[in-house]
Amino acid sequence: MVKIEAMNTMATQQQVRVDEVLQRMEHTVKGYIEKLEQVSMEQLLWKPTPDEWSLGQMIVHLIQSAQAMQLANVRRCLVLEKQLVDELATQTSGKPTEATQADANIAQPQCVAKTAQGEALFQYGSFPQERIQVPPSPQYTPLQPDHKEQLVEGLQETLRQMMEVAPAVQAVQEQLLMDAVKNGMSAEEGEQAAVPAATSSDNTASENVNLSIHVTQEAMRNESEPSLPTVAHPRLGGLNAWEWFWLIEMHYRHHLHQQQRLEEGWEHAHA
């Protein structure tokens, strides 16, 4: 039986940091890999009904959504922040920088606010437990995996990519807290607004990224929009680099419920 509930309330009991998200992600990925070692290929590919996903399809979905969407949008947000800084430098000097020219066609800055659903998700730190079912479609339904190694490698690669972008994401997190304090909040209120608090125990963030975000914030301070560039999620609204990063961990943890249902369904069907 997968133990989930204790993790679902964790975000409301303490402020979350980038290193904590990585620790939880490592724990969840380790659990998925251990489950893959325990199940047969028959169980991995078994579907409760023709329209439902197998355990293998579920893990393919986690890998693809993390790497093709969520991590891609983490990087896109970071590029947007850098692009704004380069635009400020261009306005000051009158000469486009190499970075500005290289990034000009990647994306346009967005500062879209989160939806009510998005606000609730990040306040609670978990997806709702109710089951979400999407009709089968070639665009959304993941393919069955060819073998277990494909899934193990994909899960490990997601974790590796998260570790790769973590320093820059931590800089975003720290800047959110700094700006909340600068705008007149107490340090404690700033931690709440930043969701989560900035960590001081592992200062691995790049100074250049920190400076980049700081200048971007100054340029946007008078705008009645989110303080950092965002990329829109279909249901959650505009998410910044930190929120896209945390969303990966929440998404992987949320699907533990589906893994548990599949495990129980398999045992019932083969009793």
Side-chain angles (χ1 to χ4, degrees):
M1 185 69 67
V2 181
K3 294 183 179 180
I4 303 169
E5 303 308 320
M7 298 185 72
N8 280 343
T9 58
M10 192 180 297
T12 61
Q13 295 169 357
Q14 63 185 35
Q15 297 302 310
V16 185
R17 301 190 302 266
V18 166
D19 60 339
E20 292 172 335
V21 166
L22 283 175
Q23 288 170 9
R24 294 184 196 175
M25 187 66 181
E26 286 182 276
H27 175 82
T28 303
V29 165
K30 180 181 178 182
Y32 281 131
I33 292 175
E34 288 177 349
K35 177 55 63 177
L36 286 171
E37 293 172 350
Q38 296 167 7
V39 302
S40 64
M41 279 300 297
E42 182 185 4
Q43 183 174 351
L44 183 67
L45 303 179
W46 177 79
K47 300 166 62 172
T49 68
D51 289 344
E52 293 183 81
W53 292 356
S54 68
L55 176 61
Q57 286 175 293
M58 184 200 81
I59 296 178
V60 169
H61 163 71
L62 289 174
I63 294 167
Q64 291 179 341
S65 60
Q67 295 180 22
M69 181 178 70
Q70 293 149 355
L71 277 161
N73 285 335
V74 169
R75 296 187 181 95
R76 190 169 292 117
C77 287
L78 295 172
V79 166
L80 291 174
E81 291 156 13
K82 180 170 171 287
Q83 183 177 320
L84 286 179
V85 173
D86 288 338
E87 288 174 358
L88 290 175
T90 299
Q91 293 170 9
T92 302
S93 65
K95 298 179 180 180
T97 66
E98 291 183 6
T100 301
Q101 293 171 327
D103 295 341
N105 296 323
I106 292 178
Q108 292 300 314
Q110 301 180 59
C111 290
V112 180
K114 287 194 290 295
T115 63
Q117 184 179 3
E119 291 287 355
L121 175 71
F122 287 96
Q123 287 175 8
Y124 184 60
S126 288
F127 282 91
Q129 290 188 26
E130 56 261 25
R131 189 174 179 181
I132 301 172
Q133 290 184 289
V134 179
S137 69
Q139 295 77 22
Y140 187 76
T141 303
L143 297 175
Q144 292 276 30
D146 295 325
H147 46 77
K148 294 183 185 181
E149 290 76 13
Q150 167 191 349
L151 303 181
V152 172
E153 291 170 4
L155 291 167
Q156 292 173 336
E157 176 61 17
T158 297
L159 191 57
R160 187 198 68 77
Q161 291 188 31
M162 288 184 72
M163 291 177 174
E164 182 179 71
V165 300
V169 172
Q170 181 175 309
V172 172
Q173 189 185 59
E174 291 171 348
Q175 192 63 44
L176 288 168
L177 174 59
M178 289 171 57
D179 287 334
V181 173
K182 286 179 182 177
N183 287 335
M185 296 183 181
S186 67
E188 182 177 354
E189 290 171 332
E191 290 177 357
Q192 294 288 341
V195 187
T199 176
S200 59
S201 60
D202 183 17
N203 188 21
T204 58
S206 161
E207 291 182 4
N208 289 336
V209 174
N210 232 339
L211 176 62
S212 159
I213 296 171
H214 175 72
V215 176
T216 301
Q217 287 291 103
E218 291 299 321
M220 302 175 67
R221 191 168 303 285
N222 295 325
E223 299 294 327
S224 57
E225 298 171 326
S227 59
L228 289 171
T230 62
V231 173
H233 184 282
R235 291 190 300 275
L236 306 178
L239 307 182
N240 61 40
W242 153 246
E243 291 162 337
W244 278 110
F245 184 86
W246 192 11
L247 185 65
I248 302 169
E249 184 275 326
M250 285 194 277
H251 187 215
Y252 271 57
R253 178 160 35 100
H254 173 67
H255 275 277
L256 290 171
H257 293 287
Q258 184 177 1
Q259 175 183 294
Q260 182 173 322
R261 287 195 301 269
L262 287 166
E263 187 175 346
E264 292 171 350
W266 168 266
E267 291 173 355
H268 182 266
H270 296 80

